[in-house]
Amino acid sequence: RPPLSSFLKWRDDRVLDEVHWYGWFIDYWMEGGLMRDIFTHELTTPEHWYKLLQPLQNSRDDLMFENFVGLDTDVQHNFDPNCLEKVSGGCEPVSIISAEHLLMNVTGPLETQKIAKSIQGKPGIGDFLIGEEAWECIWEELIVKKKGVKTFIDREGIEERDYNFSAEMLSEMIIELGRLIDKYSSEKWEGKETAQYLVALLSEHKSLIQDEMDAVISGETELKEGDFLGPATRKKRKLDQLGKMEGIEELRELKNSHHHKYFKELEIVLFEKRRHRRREEAVEENTQRSLRKYERIKQ
Protein backbone atom coordinates (compact mmCIF):
# COMPACT_ATOMS: atom_id res chain seq x y z
CA ARG A 1 0.00 0.00 0.00
CA PRO A 2 1.38 3.46 -0.90
CA PRO A 3 2.35 5.87 1.89
CA LEU A 4 -0.06 8.57 3.10
CA SER A 5 1.92 11.28 1.30
CA SER A 6 1.17 9.66 -2.07
CA PHE A 7 -2.53 9.49 -1.26
CA LEU A 8 -2.63 13.16 -0.24
CA LYS A 9 -0.99 14.21 -3.51
CA TRP A 10 -3.42 12.10 -5.55
CA ARG A 11 -6.39 13.43 -3.56
CA ASP A 12 -5.35 17.07 -4.10
CA ASP A 13 -5.10 16.51 -7.85
CA ARG A 14 -8.59 15.03 -7.89
CA VAL A 15 -10.05 17.97 -5.97
CA LEU A 16 -8.58 20.43 -8.46
CA ASP A 17 -10.27 18.46 -11.25
CA GLU A 18 -13.55 18.49 -9.33
CA VAL A 19 -13.48 22.28 -9.23
CA HIS A 20 -13.85 22.20 -13.02
CA TRP A 21 -16.39 19.37 -12.89
CA TYR A 22 -18.48 21.58 -10.60
CA GLY A 23 -18.67 24.33 -13.22
CA TRP A 24 -19.15 21.81 -16.03
CA PHE A 25 -22.09 20.25 -14.16
CA ILE A 26 -23.80 23.66 -13.78
CA ASP A 27 -23.23 24.52 -17.45
CA TYR A 28 -24.65 21.14 -18.52
CA TRP A 29 -28.02 21.74 -16.85
CA MET A 30 -28.29 25.49 -17.43
CA GLU A 31 -27.62 25.02 -21.15
CA GLY A 32 -29.97 22.08 -21.55
CA GLY A 33 -27.38 19.33 -21.98
CA LEU A 34 -25.02 21.21 -24.30
CA MET A 35 -21.80 19.21 -24.70
CA ARG A 36 -18.72 21.02 -23.36
CA ASP A 37 -15.21 20.05 -22.36
CA ILE A 38 -14.76 19.78 -18.59
CA PHE A 39 -11.51 21.70 -18.28
CA THR A 40 -11.65 24.37 -21.02
CA HIS A 41 -15.48 24.60 -21.08
CA GLU A 42 -15.30 24.84 -24.88
CA LEU A 43 -17.95 23.23 -27.08
CA THR A 44 -16.91 19.66 -27.80
CA THR A 45 -17.76 16.69 -29.97
CA PRO A 46 -19.99 13.76 -28.94
CA GLU A 47 -16.99 11.39 -29.21
CA HIS A 48 -14.97 13.48 -26.77
CA TRP A 49 -17.92 14.16 -24.46
CA TYR A 50 -18.81 10.49 -23.99
CA LYS A 51 -15.20 9.67 -23.11
CA LEU A 52 -15.18 12.49 -20.55
CA LEU A 53 -18.04 10.67 -18.83
CA GLN A 54 -15.75 7.65 -18.40
CA PRO A 55 -12.63 9.19 -16.82
CA LEU A 56 -11.58 5.91 -15.21
CA GLN A 57 -11.15 4.30 -18.61
CA ASN A 58 -9.15 7.11 -20.21
CA SER A 59 -6.11 9.09 -19.10
CA ARG A 60 -6.42 12.83 -18.61
CA ASP A 61 -3.70 13.54 -21.18
CA ASP A 62 -5.63 11.58 -23.80
CA LEU A 63 -8.80 13.50 -22.96
CA MET A 64 -7.25 16.98 -23.05
CA PHE A 65 -9.29 19.14 -25.43
CA GLU A 66 -6.30 20.21 -27.52
CA ASN A 67 -5.21 16.56 -27.93
CA PHE A 68 -8.58 14.93 -28.60
CA VAL A 69 -10.52 17.66 -30.45
CA GLY A 70 -7.94 20.28 -31.41
CA LEU A 71 -7.96 24.00 -30.72
CA ASP A 72 -8.62 24.86 -34.37
CA THR A 73 -11.55 22.46 -34.81
CA ASP A 74 -14.90 24.10 -35.64
CA VAL A 75 -17.24 22.38 -33.18
CA GLN A 76 -21.01 22.67 -33.62
CA HIS A 77 -23.63 22.75 -30.86
CA ASN A 78 -24.25 19.16 -29.77
CA PHE A 79 -26.73 18.19 -27.07
CA ASP A 80 -27.05 15.12 -24.86
CA PRO A 81 -29.70 12.92 -26.56
CA ASN A 82 -31.18 12.14 -23.14
CA CYS A 83 -32.20 15.79 -22.80
CA LEU A 84 -33.80 15.80 -26.25
CA GLU A 85 -35.54 12.44 -26.09
CA LYS A 86 -36.06 11.35 -22.46
CA VAL A 87 -36.56 14.49 -20.38
CA SER A 88 -39.90 16.22 -20.93
CA GLY A 89 -39.26 19.89 -21.55
CA GLY A 90 -35.51 19.34 -21.84
CA CYS A 91 -32.77 19.45 -19.20
CA GLU A 92 -32.77 23.19 -18.47
CA PRO A 93 -33.97 23.67 -14.86
CA VAL A 94 -37.42 25.08 -14.15
CA SER A 95 -36.19 26.16 -10.71
CA ILE A 96 -32.99 26.22 -8.66
CA ILE A 97 -32.98 25.18 -5.02
CA SER A 98 -30.28 25.97 -2.46
CA ALA A 99 -29.60 23.11 -0.04
CA GLU A 100 -28.02 25.61 2.38
CA HIS A 101 -31.05 27.92 2.25
CA LEU A 102 -33.37 24.95 2.67
CA LEU A 103 -31.84 24.30 6.10
CA MET A 104 -32.08 27.91 7.32
CA ASN A 105 -35.04 29.06 9.43
CA VAL A 106 -35.50 32.28 7.47
CA THR A 107 -35.24 30.90 3.93
CA GLY A 108 -36.17 27.21 4.42
CA PRO A 109 -39.94 27.57 3.98
CA LEU A 110 -39.44 29.64 0.80
CA GLU A 111 -37.17 26.99 -0.71
CA THR A 112 -39.77 24.36 0.19
CA GLN A 113 -42.40 26.36 -1.69
CA LYS A 114 -40.15 26.46 -4.76
CA ILE A 115 -39.79 22.68 -4.68
CA ALA A 116 -43.55 22.16 -4.37
CA LYS A 117 -44.48 24.70 -7.05
CA SER A 118 -42.02 23.16 -9.52
CA ILE A 119 -43.98 19.87 -9.40
CA GLN A 120 -47.44 21.31 -8.77
CA GLY A 121 -49.90 20.22 -11.44
CA LYS A 122 -47.43 17.90 -13.15
CA PRO A 123 -48.96 14.64 -14.50
CA GLY A 124 -48.33 11.69 -12.20
CA ILE A 125 -47.06 13.95 -9.39
CA GLY A 126 -49.48 16.81 -8.88
CA ASP A 127 -52.32 14.49 -7.85
CA PHE A 128 -50.30 13.35 -4.82
CA LEU A 129 -49.07 16.80 -3.71
CA ILE A 130 -50.48 17.92 -0.36
CA GLY A 131 -52.17 21.30 0.04
CA GLU A 132 -50.08 24.48 0.11
CA GLU A 133 -51.17 25.25 3.66
CA ALA A 134 -49.20 22.18 4.87
CA TRP A 135 -45.93 22.87 3.02
CA GLU A 136 -44.29 24.86 5.80
CA CYS A 137 -45.43 22.28 8.37
CA ILE A 138 -43.74 19.52 6.38
CA TRP A 139 -40.52 21.57 6.23
CA GLU A 140 -40.60 22.11 10.00
CA GLU A 141 -41.19 18.42 10.74
CA LEU A 142 -38.39 17.22 8.44
CA ILE A 143 -35.75 19.95 8.84
CA VAL A 144 -36.30 21.48 12.25
CA LYS A 145 -37.61 18.47 14.18
CA LYS A 146 -35.65 16.01 12.01
CA LYS A 147 -38.46 13.47 11.74
CA GLY A 148 -38.62 10.78 9.06
CA VAL A 149 -35.72 9.00 7.37
CA LYS A 150 -32.14 10.05 8.05
CA THR A 151 -30.62 12.59 5.65
CA PHE A 152 -27.19 14.18 5.16
CA ILE A 153 -28.02 16.46 8.11
CA ASP A 154 -27.81 13.46 10.44
CA ARG A 155 -24.48 12.23 9.14
CA GLU A 156 -21.94 11.62 11.91
CA GLY A 157 -18.15 11.55 11.73
CA ILE A 158 -15.96 14.00 9.82
CA GLU A 159 -17.26 17.56 9.86
CA GLU A 160 -16.89 20.10 7.04
CA ARG A 161 -14.41 22.15 9.08
CA ASP A 162 -12.13 19.20 9.89
CA TYR A 163 -10.08 20.05 6.79
CA ASN A 164 -8.75 23.31 5.39
CA PHE A 165 -7.79 24.33 1.86
CA SER A 166 -4.66 26.19 0.81
CA ALA A 167 -4.77 29.54 -1.00
CA GLU A 168 -3.75 27.62 -4.12
CA MET A 169 -6.86 25.44 -3.98
CA LEU A 170 -9.19 28.25 -2.90
CA SER A 171 -7.92 30.49 -5.69
CA GLU A 172 -8.86 27.84 -8.26
CA MET A 173 -12.38 27.72 -6.77
CA ILE A 174 -12.72 31.51 -6.87
CA ILE A 175 -11.63 31.62 -10.53
CA GLU A 176 -14.20 28.98 -11.49
CA LEU A 177 -16.98 30.70 -9.54
CA GLY A 178 -16.03 34.01 -11.16
CA ARG A 179 -16.32 32.42 -14.60
CA LEU A 180 -19.81 31.12 -13.81
CA ILE A 181 -20.94 34.42 -12.28
CA ASP A 182 -19.75 36.41 -15.30
CA LYS A 183 -21.40 33.97 -17.69
CA TYR A 184 -24.82 33.80 -16.06
CA SER A 185 -25.03 37.50 -15.26
CA SER A 186 -24.39 38.42 -18.91
CA GLU A 187 -27.01 39.97 -21.16
CA LYS A 188 -27.87 36.59 -22.68
CA TRP A 189 -29.15 35.31 -19.32
CA GLU A 190 -30.53 38.45 -17.69
CA GLY A 191 -34.16 37.54 -18.43
CA LYS A 192 -34.01 34.15 -16.72
CA GLU A 193 -35.02 33.92 -13.07
CA THR A 194 -33.02 30.71 -12.64
CA ALA A 195 -29.85 32.43 -13.83
CA GLN A 196 -30.39 35.38 -11.50
CA TYR A 197 -30.82 33.10 -8.48
CA LEU A 198 -27.84 30.98 -9.52
CA VAL A 199 -25.63 34.09 -9.69
CA ALA A 200 -26.81 35.14 -6.23
CA LEU A 201 -25.93 31.71 -4.78
CA LEU A 202 -22.57 31.55 -6.51
CA SER A 203 -21.75 35.07 -5.29
CA GLU A 204 -22.49 33.96 -1.72
CA HIS A 205 -20.18 30.99 -2.10
CA LYS A 206 -17.45 33.09 -3.68
CA SER A 207 -17.57 35.57 -0.80
CA LEU A 208 -17.28 32.78 1.77
CA ILE A 209 -14.33 31.21 -0.06
CA GLN A 210 -12.64 34.61 -0.34
CA ASP A 211 -12.95 35.01 3.45
CA GLU A 212 -11.47 31.54 3.87
CA MET A 213 -8.54 32.39 1.58
CA ASP A 214 -7.90 35.68 3.40
CA ALA A 215 -7.65 33.74 6.67
CA VAL A 216 -5.11 31.34 5.11
CA ILE A 217 -2.99 34.13 3.62
CA SER A 218 -2.97 36.10 6.88
CA GLY A 219 -1.94 33.03 8.87
CA GLU A 220 -5.13 33.00 10.91
CA THR A 221 -5.80 29.53 9.50
CA GLU A 222 -2.79 27.27 9.97
CA LEU A 223 -2.51 24.54 7.37
CA LYS A 224 -1.59 20.96 8.25
CA GLU A 225 -0.08 18.21 6.15
CA GLY A 226 -3.44 16.42 5.87
CA ASP A 227 -5.23 19.51 4.53
CA PHE A 228 -6.04 20.06 0.86
CA LEU A 229 -2.82 21.80 -0.14
CA GLY A 230 -2.48 21.41 -3.90
CA PRO A 231 0.65 20.39 -5.83
CA ALA A 232 2.52 23.72 -5.68
CA THR A 233 1.85 24.34 -1.98
CA ARG A 234 2.65 20.76 -1.02
CA LYS A 235 5.92 20.85 -2.95
CA LYS A 236 6.92 24.15 -1.35
CA ARG A 237 6.28 22.75 2.11
CA LYS A 238 8.43 19.74 1.31
CA LEU A 239 11.27 21.90 0.03
CA ASP A 240 11.05 24.09 3.12
CA GLN A 241 11.27 21.00 5.33
CA LEU A 242 13.99 19.26 3.38
CA GLY A 243 16.12 22.27 2.55
CA LYS A 244 19.07 21.10 0.48
CA MET A 245 17.65 17.56 0.18
CA GLU A 246 15.54 18.61 -2.83
CA GLY A 247 17.31 16.21 -5.16
CA ILE A 248 16.77 13.26 -2.84
CA GLU A 249 13.09 14.07 -2.46
CA GLU A 250 12.54 14.31 -6.21
CA LEU A 251 14.23 10.94 -6.62
CA ARG A 252 11.92 9.45 -4.00
CA GLU A 253 8.85 10.89 -5.78
CA LEU A 254 10.04 9.40 -9.07
CA LYS A 255 10.48 6.03 -7.40
CA ASN A 256 6.93 6.14 -5.99
CA SER A 257 5.23 7.38 -9.18
CA HIS A 258 3.61 3.97 -9.66
CA HIS A 259 1.33 4.68 -6.71
CA HIS A 260 -1.00 6.57 -9.05
CA LYS A 261 -1.92 3.22 -10.61
CA TYR A 262 -2.88 1.88 -7.19
CA PHE A 263 -5.31 4.73 -6.54
CA LYS A 264 -6.82 4.53 -10.01
CA GLU A 265 -7.49 0.79 -9.54
CA LEU A 266 -8.94 1.51 -6.10
CA GLU A 267 -11.24 4.15 -7.58
CA ILE A 268 -12.54 1.66 -10.15
CA VAL A 269 -13.38 -0.82 -7.36
CA LEU A 270 -15.20 1.87 -5.36
CA PHE A 271 -17.08 2.99 -8.48
CA GLU A 272 -18.32 -0.55 -9.11
CA LYS A 273 -19.44 -0.87 -5.48
CA ARG A 274 -21.40 2.40 -5.73
CA ARG A 275 -23.02 1.29 -8.98
CA HIS A 276 -24.02 -2.04 -7.43
CA ARG A 277 -25.48 -0.25 -4.41
CA ARG A 278 -27.49 2.11 -6.64
CA ARG A 279 -28.91 -0.85 -8.51
CA GLU A 280 -30.01 -2.48 -5.26
CA GLU A 281 -31.60 0.77 -4.12
CA ALA A 282 -33.44 1.11 -7.44
CA VAL A 283 -34.81 -2.44 -7.13
CA GLU A 284 -35.95 -1.75 -3.57
CA GLU A 285 -37.58 1.53 -4.62
CA ASN A 286 -39.45 -0.16 -7.48
CA THR A 287 -40.62 -2.91 -5.12
CA GLN A 288 -41.94 -0.39 -2.60
CA ARG A 289 -43.65 1.58 -5.35
CA SER A 290 -45.38 -1.57 -6.61
CA LEU A 291 -46.51 -2.44 -3.08
CA ARG A 292 -47.98 1.05 -2.56
CA LYS A 293 -49.79 0.82 -5.89
CA TYR A 294 -51.15 -2.60 -4.94
CA GLU A 295 -52.39 -1.26 -1.59
CA ARG A 296 -54.20 1.62 -3.33
CA ILE A 297 -55.90 -0.81 -5.70
CA LYS A 298 -57.01 -3.00 -2.78
CA GLN A 299 -58.56 -0.01 -1.05
Side-chain angles (χ1 to χ4, degrees):
R1 176 178 297 186
L4 178 61
S5 60
S6 295
F7 165 74
L8 294 175
K9 181 180 182 302
W10 171 83
R11 183 202 61 181
D12 289 357
D13 290 341
R14 285 301 307 272
V15 171
L16 286 173
D17 284 350
E18 287 178 9
V19 171
H20 296 283
W21 292 341
Y22 172 86
W24 176 84
F25 184 82
I26 290 176
D27 284 337
Y28 171 85
W29 291 106
M30 290 297 292
E31 296 181 312
L34 182 62
M35 295 182 179
R36 289 189 179 275
D37 175 46
I38 291 175
F39 302 104
T40 65
H41 306 294
E42 298 288 346
L43 296 176
T44 194
T45 63
E47 295 79 12
H48 183 225
W49 193 78
Y50 284 118
K51 284 188 175 295
L52 287 171
L53 298 183
Q54 301 175 333
L56 301 182
Q57 299 178 19
N58 304 277
S59 72
R60 177 167 177 176
D61 287 341
D62 291 339
L63 294 179
M64 292 297 286
F65 183 81
E66 56 267 33
N67 296 334
F68 196 101
V69 179
L71 298 176
D72 298 327
T73 303
D74 182 21
V75 181
Q76 303 301 311
H77 284 65
N78 300 290
F79 290 86
D80 183 355
N82 290 310
C83 294
L84 302 176
E85 302 167 4
K86 297 183 180 180
V87 181
S88 59
C91 287
E92 188 174 339
V94 296
S95 184
I96 291 180
I97 310 299
S98 165
E100 292 92 341
H101 287 188
L102 185 64
L103 302 180
M104 297 177 181
N105 290 335
V106 176
T107 55
L110 295 176
E111 293 298 297
T112 301
Q113 285 186 22
K114 288 168 64 177
I115 296 173
K117 287 181 178 179
S118 67
I119 60 176
Q120 194 173 33
K122 295 294 188 297
I125 300 177
D127 295 340
F128 301 97
L129 187 64
I130 61 174
E132 186 172 350
E133 66 277 2
W135 292 352
E136 185 168 345
C137 177
I138 291 296
W139 172 83
E140 184 175 343
E141 293 294 305
L142 292 176
I143 304 300
V144 179
K145 298 182 180 179
K146 298 184 178 180
K147 293 185 178 179
V149 298
K150 288 186 177 295
T151 67
F152 68 95
I153 309 172
D154 308 299
R155 184 180 300 163
E156 298 179 356
I158 296 176
E159 299 291 336
E160 183 180 353
R161 295 292 92 193
D162 283 353
Y163 290 94
N164 292 306
F165 292 84
S166 70
E168 175 187 353
M169 305 286 273
L170 295 170
S171 176
E172 196 72 20
M173 298 176 195
I174 289 173
I175 291 172
E176 182 62 18
L177 287 171
R179 180 190 74 82
L180 292 168
I181 291 169
D182 289 344
K183 176 175 181 175
Y184 293 107
S185 60
S186 66
E187 184 178 351
K188 176 183 176 181
W189 295 89
E190 65 181 7
K192 286 188 175 289
E193 184 178 342
T194 50
Q196 294 171 10
Y197 189 53
L198 174 63
V199 168
L201 294 176
L202 295 175
S203 298
E204 286 181 20
H205 295 166
K206 184 181 177 184
S207 178
L208 291 172
I209 293 174
Q210 183 64 58
D211 291 343
E212 192 172 343
M213 187 164 78
D214 291 343
V216 172
I217 294 174
S218 68
E220 180 183 348
T221 298
E222 185 176 347
L223 298 175
K224 304 182 295 295
E225 188 65 20
D227 288 332
F228 292 84
L229 300 180
T233 304
R234 194 170 295 282
K235 182 176 182 180
K236 182 179 182 304
R237 286 171 65 95
K238 283 186 177 181
L239 294 179
D240 290 344
Q241 293 169 1
L242 294 170
K244 294 182 179 181
M245 296 180 64
E246 178 181 355
I248 296 176
E249 179 63 19
E250 289 182 346
L251 183 61
R252 186 181 296 119
E253 289 293 334
L254 180 63
K255 180 180 177 182
N256 293 334
S257 60
H258 66 281
H259 292 153
H260 178 77
K261 180 181 178 182
Y262 171 89
F263 291 118
K264 187 166 186 177
E265 291 174 349
L266 176 62
E267 189 173 20
I268 293 173
V269 172
L270 294 176
F271 174 79
E272 291 298 328
K273 286 184 177 180
R274 287 196 299 270
R275 185 166 63 175
H276 180 69
R277 185 174 67 250
R278 285 197 295 269
R279 286 175 179 170
E280 290 183 335
E281 291 172 350
V283 171
E284 176 64 21
E285 183 179 348
N286 289 334
T287 302
Q288 293 299 326
R289 188 183 297 115
S290 298
L291 289 173
R292 288 194 295 270
K293 185 176 180 181
Y294 174 72
E295 291 296 329
R296 287 199 297 271
I297 294 174
K298 281 181 62 179
Q299 294 173 3

PDB file of all heavy atoms in Angstrom, residues 176-191:
ATOM      1  N   GLU A 176     -13.102  29.703 -10.848  1.00  0.00           N
ATOM      2  CA  GLU A 176     -14.203  28.981 -11.493  1.00  0.00           C
ATOM      3  C   GLU A 176     -15.548  29.622 -11.159  1.00  0.00           C
ATOM      4  O   GLU A 176     -16.411  29.770 -12.036  1.00  0.00           O
ATOM      5  CB  GLU A 176     -14.190  27.509 -11.068  1.00  0.00           C
ATOM      6  CG  GLU A 176     -15.262  26.651 -11.717  1.00  0.00           C
ATOM      7  CD  GLU A 176     -15.130  26.580 -13.240  1.00  0.00           C
ATOM      8  OE1 GLU A 176     -14.048  26.905 -13.778  1.00  0.00           O
ATOM      9  OE2 GLU A 176     -16.125  26.201 -13.894  1.00  0.00           O
ATOM     10  N   LEU A 177     -15.735  30.028  -9.910  1.00  0.00           N
ATOM     11  CA  LEU A 177     -16.979  30.703  -9.536  1.00  0.00           C
ATOM     12  C   LEU A 177     -17.110  32.029 -10.274  1.00  0.00           C
ATOM     13  O   LEU A 177     -18.206  32.401 -10.709  1.00  0.00           O
ATOM     14  CB  LEU A 177     -17.012  30.933  -8.025  1.00  0.00           C
ATOM     15  CG  LEU A 177     -17.252  29.694  -7.166  1.00  0.00           C
ATOM     16  CD1 LEU A 177     -17.038  30.013  -5.693  1.00  0.00           C
ATOM     17  CD2 LEU A 177     -18.655  29.139  -7.386  1.00  0.00           C
ATOM     18  N   GLY A 178     -16.007  32.750 -10.422  1.00  0.00           N
ATOM     19  CA  GLY A 178     -16.032  34.005 -11.160  1.00  0.00           C
ATOM     20  C   GLY A 178     -16.443  33.808 -12.606  1.00  0.00           C
ATOM     21  O   GLY A 178     -17.199  34.614 -13.179  1.00  0.00           O
ATOM     22  N   ARG A 179     -15.942  32.725 -13.209  1.00  0.00           N
ATOM     23  CA  ARG A 179     -16.319  32.420 -14.595  1.00  0.00           C
ATOM     24  C   ARG A 179     -17.818  32.203 -14.706  1.00  0.00           C
ATOM     25  O   ARG A 179     -18.479  32.737 -15.619  1.00  0.00           O
ATOM     26  CB  ARG A 179     -15.581  31.172 -15.073  1.00  0.00           C
ATOM     27  CG  ARG A 179     -15.914  30.761 -16.515  1.00  0.00           C
ATOM     28  CD  ARG A 179     -15.354  29.397 -16.859  1.00  0.00           C
ATOM     29  NE  ARG A 179     -16.093  28.316 -16.229  1.00  0.00           N
ATOM     30  CZ  ARG A 179     -17.233  27.801 -16.714  1.00  0.00           C
ATOM     31  NH1 ARG A 179     -17.780  28.302 -17.829  1.00  0.00           N
ATOM     32  NH2 ARG A 179     -17.842  26.808 -16.096  1.00  0.00           N
ATOM     33  N   LEU A 180     -18.373  31.423 -13.784  1.00  0.00           N
ATOM     34  CA  LEU A 180     -19.806  31.124 -13.806  1.00  0.00           C
ATOM     35  C   LEU A 180     -20.642  32.377 -13.547  1.00  0.00           C
ATOM     36  O   LEU A 180     -21.669  32.603 -14.200  1.00  0.00           O
ATOM     37  CB  LEU A 180     -20.126  30.052 -12.763  1.00  0.00           C
ATOM     38  CG  LEU A 180     -19.563  28.655 -13.044  1.00  0.00           C
ATOM     39  CD1 LEU A 180     -19.690  27.776 -11.808  1.00  0.00           C
ATOM     40  CD2 LEU A 180     -20.269  28.011 -14.242  1.00  0.00           C
ATOM     41  N   ILE A 181     -20.210  33.199 -12.601  1.00  0.00           N
ATOM     42  CA  ILE A 181     -20.944  34.423 -12.277  1.00  0.00           C
ATOM     43  C   ILE A 181     -20.967  35.362 -13.477  1.00  0.00           C
ATOM     44  O   ILE A 181     -22.008  35.935 -13.828  1.00  0.00           O
ATOM     45  CB  ILE A 181     -20.320  35.111 -11.044  1.00  0.00           C
ATOM     46  CG1 ILE A 181     -20.576  34.272  -9.785  1.00  0.00           C
ATOM     47  CG2 ILE A 181     -20.892  36.520 -10.859  1.00  0.00           C
ATOM     48  CD1 ILE A 181     -19.779  34.726  -8.576  1.00  0.00           C
ATOM     49  N   ASP A 182     -19.821  35.538 -14.117  1.00  0.00           N
ATOM     50  CA  ASP A 182     -19.746  36.406 -15.300  1.00  0.00           C
ATOM     51  C   ASP A 182     -20.646  35.879 -16.416  1.00  0.00           C
ATOM     52  O   ASP A 182     -21.340  36.648 -17.096  1.00  0.00           O
ATOM     53  CB  ASP A 182     -18.305  36.502 -15.801  1.00  0.00           C
ATOM     54  CG  ASP A 182     -17.417  37.305 -14.862  1.00  0.00           C
ATOM     55  OD1 ASP A 182     -17.964  38.025 -13.997  1.00  0.00           O
ATOM     56  OD2 ASP A 182     -16.178  37.183 -14.964  1.00  0.00           O
ATOM     57  N   LYS A 183     -20.633  34.569 -16.595  1.00  0.00           N
ATOM     58  CA  LYS A 183     -21.396  33.973 -17.687  1.00  0.00           C
ATOM     59  C   LYS A 183     -22.895  34.149 -17.477  1.00  0.00           C
ATOM     60  O   LYS A 183     -23.605  34.595 -18.395  1.00  0.00           O
ATOM     61  CB  LYS A 183     -21.052  32.482 -17.801  1.00  0.00           C
ATOM     62  CG  LYS A 183     -21.859  31.739 -18.860  1.00  0.00           C
ATOM     63  CD  LYS A 183     -21.379  30.300 -19.003  1.00  0.00           C
ATOM     64  CE  LYS A 183     -22.157  29.562 -20.079  1.00  0.00           C
ATOM     65  NZ  LYS A 183     -21.620  28.199 -20.316  1.00  0.00           N
ATOM     66  N   TYR A 184     -23.379  33.821 -16.284  1.00  0.00           N
ATOM     67  CA  TYR A 184     -24.825  33.799 -16.063  1.00  0.00           C
ATOM     68  C   TYR A 184     -25.399  35.137 -15.590  1.00  0.00           C
ATOM     69  O   TYR A 184     -26.598  35.237 -15.353  1.00  0.00           O
ATOM     70  CB  TYR A 184     -25.179  32.658 -15.107  1.00  0.00           C
ATOM     71  CG  TYR A 184     -24.912  31.315 -15.738  1.00  0.00           C
ATOM     72  CD1 TYR A 184     -23.830  30.530 -15.332  1.00  0.00           C
ATOM     73  CD2 TYR A 184     -25.700  30.865 -16.796  1.00  0.00           C
ATOM     74  CE1 TYR A 184     -23.559  29.318 -15.957  1.00  0.00           C
ATOM     75  CE2 TYR A 184     -25.434  29.661 -17.420  1.00  0.00           C
ATOM     76  CZ  TYR A 184     -24.369  28.891 -17.001  1.00  0.00           C
ATOM     77  OH  TYR A 184     -24.103  27.692 -17.632  1.00  0.00           O
ATOM     78  N   SER A 185     -24.544  36.145 -15.494  1.00  0.00           N
ATOM     79  CA  SER A 185     -25.031  37.502 -15.259  1.00  0.00           C
ATOM     80  C   SER A 185     -24.930  38.346 -16.525  1.00  0.00           C
ATOM     81  O   SER A 185     -25.202  39.544 -16.502  1.00  0.00           O
ATOM     82  CB  SER A 185     -24.252  38.170 -14.117  1.00  0.00           C
ATOM     83  OG  SER A 185     -22.865  38.234 -14.426  1.00  0.00           O
ATOM     84  N   SER A 186     -24.526  37.714 -17.634  1.00  0.00           N
ATOM     85  CA  SER A 186     -24.388  38.424 -18.906  1.00  0.00           C
ATOM     86  C   SER A 186     -25.760  38.713 -19.503  1.00  0.00           C
ATOM     87  O   SER A 186     -26.794  38.202 -19.057  1.00  0.00           O
ATOM     88  CB  SER A 186     -23.555  37.594 -19.886  1.00  0.00           C
ATOM     89  OG  SER A 186     -24.236  36.401 -20.231  1.00  0.00           O
ATOM     90  N   GLU A 187     -25.768  39.535 -20.531  1.00  0.00           N
ATOM     91  CA  GLU A 187     -27.014  39.967 -21.165  1.00  0.00           C
ATOM     92  C   GLU A 187     -27.844  38.791 -21.679  1.00  0.00           C
ATOM     93  O   GLU A 187     -29.072  38.813 -21.640  1.00  0.00           O
ATOM     94  CB  GLU A 187     -26.680  40.918 -22.323  1.00  0.00           C
ATOM     95  CG  GLU A 187     -27.893  41.518 -22.999  1.00  0.00           C
ATOM     96  CD  GLU A 187     -27.519  42.495 -24.096  1.00  0.00           C
ATOM     97  OE1 GLU A 187     -26.316  42.817 -24.212  1.00  0.00           O
ATOM     98  OE2 GLU A 187     -28.418  42.926 -24.846  1.00  0.00           O
ATOM     99  N   LYS A 188     -27.168  37.752 -22.138  1.00  0.00           N
ATOM    100  CA  LYS A 188     -27.871  36.586 -22.681  1.00  0.00           C
ATOM    101  C   LYS A 188     -28.790  35.944 -21.652  1.00  0.00           C
ATOM    102  O   LYS A 188     -29.839  35.395 -21.988  1.00  0.00           O
ATOM    103  CB  LYS A 188     -26.843  35.558 -23.179  1.00  0.00           C
ATOM    104  CG  LYS A 188     -27.444  34.262 -23.679  1.00  0.00           C
ATOM    105  CD  LYS A 188     -26.367  33.277 -24.089  1.00  0.00           C
ATOM    106  CE  LYS A 188     -26.972  31.939 -24.506  1.00  0.00           C
ATOM    107  NZ  LYS A 188     -25.938  30.953 -24.890  1.00  0.00           N
ATOM    108  N   TRP A 189     -28.409  36.012 -20.362  1.00  0.00           N
ATOM    109  CA  TRP A 189     -29.149  35.306 -19.316  1.00  0.00           C
ATOM    110  C   TRP A 189     -29.965  36.222 -18.411  1.00  0.00           C
ATOM    111  O   TRP A 189     -30.624  35.746 -17.488  1.00  0.00           O
ATOM    112  CB  TRP A 189     -28.167  34.513 -18.449  1.00  0.00           C
ATOM    113  CG  TRP A 189     -27.481  33.423 -19.185  1.00  0.00           C
ATOM    114  CD1 TRP A 189     -26.314  33.500 -19.876  1.00  0.00           C
ATOM    115  CD2 TRP A 189     -27.931  32.071 -19.334  1.00  0.00           C
ATOM    116  NE1 TRP A 189     -25.988  32.291 -20.437  1.00  0.00           N
ATOM    117  CE2 TRP A 189     -26.964  31.385 -20.125  1.00  0.00           C
ATOM    118  CE3 TRP A 189     -29.041  31.368 -18.875  1.00  0.00           C
ATOM    119  CZ2 TRP A 189     -27.086  30.047 -20.461  1.00  0.00           C
ATOM    120  CZ3 TRP A 189     -29.165  30.026 -19.207  1.00  0.00           C
ATOM    121  CH2 TRP A 189     -28.200  29.384 -19.997  1.00  0.00           C
ATOM    122  N   GLU A 190     -29.941  37.523 -18.647  1.00  0.00           N
ATOM    123  CA  GLU A 190     -30.532  38.451 -17.687  1.00  0.00           C
ATOM    124  C   GLU A 190     -32.047  38.297 -17.533  1.00  0.00           C
ATOM    125  O   GLU A 190     -32.617  38.693 -16.520  1.00  0.00           O
ATOM    126  CB  GLU A 190     -30.204  39.893 -18.089  1.00  0.00           C
ATOM    127  CG  GLU A 190     -30.802  40.337 -19.402  1.00  0.00           C
ATOM    128  CD  GLU A 190     -30.413  41.764 -19.759  1.00  0.00           C
ATOM    129  OE1 GLU A 190     -29.584  42.356 -19.049  1.00  0.00           O
ATOM    130  OE2 GLU A 190     -30.954  42.289 -20.755  1.00  0.00           O
ATOM    131  N   GLY A 191     -32.716  37.708 -18.527  1.00  0.00           N
ATOM    132  CA  GLY A 191     -34.164  37.542 -18.432  1.00  0.00           C
ATOM    133  C   GLY A 191     -34.604  36.268 -17.740  1.00  0.00           C
ATOM    134  O   GLY A 191     -35.807  36.033 -17.562  1.00  0.00           O
TER     135      GLY A 191
END
